[in-house]
Amino acid sequence: MTNVENTAKRGDGFFFSLEGSEGCGKSTQITMLRSFLSAKGVEPVMVREPGGTDLGEKIRHLLQHDEAGEGMSAEAELLLFAASRAQLMRELIFPELAAGRLVVADRFLDSTTVYQGIARGLDASAVQAINGFATANRKPDLTILLDVELEVGRARAAGRVGDPDRMEREPDAFFERVRDGYLQLAAAEPERIVVIDASLDPDAVHAQITQVLTERFYGLHR
């Protein structure tokens, strides 16, 4: 049974996430995707990680910008991401999916698997267990991985307005592990994770994203 058929049969919503390392163009693609969906008569529920709820946004600030977060242990970082995600799932994602909505997430549990697990070297089984507990083992129905080489991503990120956050200040070796980790996940779950070359023109990337989503999400076939 395909993802489209399975989602239609369940009668619930569709859960779609976008992933990628720094400078992969996620923000641009999410903006373009929202316009595309609105033109199709679909109003998605847009969420981001960490964040998306009042509690989650407080955690986001602590993780990214608060001085108290400097020197944070990898284990504490993992648990804070999981706490934000657990609240997001129960406050927004589960209710919206039950109502038949399309939920689009700017990052989800794959980010934790890669950033805190693979790149920070935490135990993979522990990360998997914590992710599963936070999400009640609910993964996205479809994940797009925007893959870009480190040099390209770094150059794009350097052009952003504002100071880099705590995560963005990590060294190149960290982001090499992030990219490799994402590609490992995609190889392990090819039915869920679709890799797109994010070094292409944004319009070309957008066209590929919308093609894949149209194939998988039954709401665009009505």
Side-chain angles (χ1 to χ4, degrees):
M1 181 177 290
T2 67
N3 283 1
V4 170
E5 291 168 342
N6 189 50
T7 302
K9 185 175 181 180
R10 286 201 313 258
D12 61 352
F14 191 86
F15 188 14
F16 173 50
S17 64
L18 285 94
E19 295 279 357
S21 189
E22 307 307 313
C24 68
K26 267 192 308 83
S27 297
T28 297
Q29 292 304 321
I30 286 172
T31 299
M32 296 174 74
L33 179 62
R34 186 165 199 164
S35 296
F36 167 81
L37 292 169
S38 294
K40 293 285 188 179
V42 176
E43 293 301 328
V45 178
M46 312 294 290
V47 298
R48 69 175 183 175
E49 284 219 328
T53 66
D54 289 344
L55 175 62
E57 291 299 322
K58 295 288 187 182
I59 294 173
R60 182 185 183 91
H61 179 75
L62 177 59
L63 283 164
Q64 295 184 344
H65 303 292
D66 198 306
E67 291 183 2
E70 297 298 330
M72 183 184 302
S73 71
E75 291 82 1
E77 185 179 85
L78 167 65
L79 293 170
L80 284 170
F81 274 104
S84 176
R85 183 168 301 125
Q87 186 67 23
L88 182 63
M89 289 298 295
R90 286 149 185 87
E91 186 174 327
L92 277 178
I93 294 178
F94 280 142
E96 296 293 355
L97 289 175
R101 303 288 298 281
L102 168 64
V103 176
V104 178
D106 179 353
R107 298 195 181 281
F108 196 60
L109 82 171
D110 296 313
S111 285
T112 295
T113 298
V114 171
Y115 278 75
Q116 283 69 53
I118 295 172
R120 295 231 188 271
L122 293 180
D123 180 73
S125 60
V127 173
Q128 183 179 12
I130 290 167
N131 273 338
F133 180 71
T135 64
N137 293 311
R138 179 64 157 96
K139 290 185 177 182
D141 300 299
L142 170 66
T143 296
I144 294 290
L145 170 58
L146 298 175
D147 177 55
V148 67
E149 293 184 356
L150 176 64
E151 294 77 10
V152 176
R154 280 299 213 189
R156 289 177 176 176
R160 294 173 180 164
V161 177
D163 295 329
D165 63 33
R166 188 177 65 87
M167 299 294 291
E168 292 168 344
R169 294 196 301 270
E170 291 290 344
D172 286 354
F174 177 85
F175 288 108
E176 288 284 13
R177 294 193 295 273
V178 166
R179 186 189 182 204
D180 289 345
Y182 270 128
L183 293 175
Q184 290 173 34
L185 282 185
E189 297 187 61
E191 288 298 313
R192 178 174 69 87
I193 303 175
V194 177
V195 182
I196 292 178
D197 182 358
S199 67
L200 299 174
D201 178 85
D203 287 333
V205 175
H206 173 68
Q208 291 186 52
I209 291 174
T210 54
Q211 178 182 347
V212 174
L213 184 58
T214 300
E215 292 171 353
R216 302 286 188 95
F217 175 45
Y218 76 95
L220 293 176
H221 294 265
R222 293 173 175 174

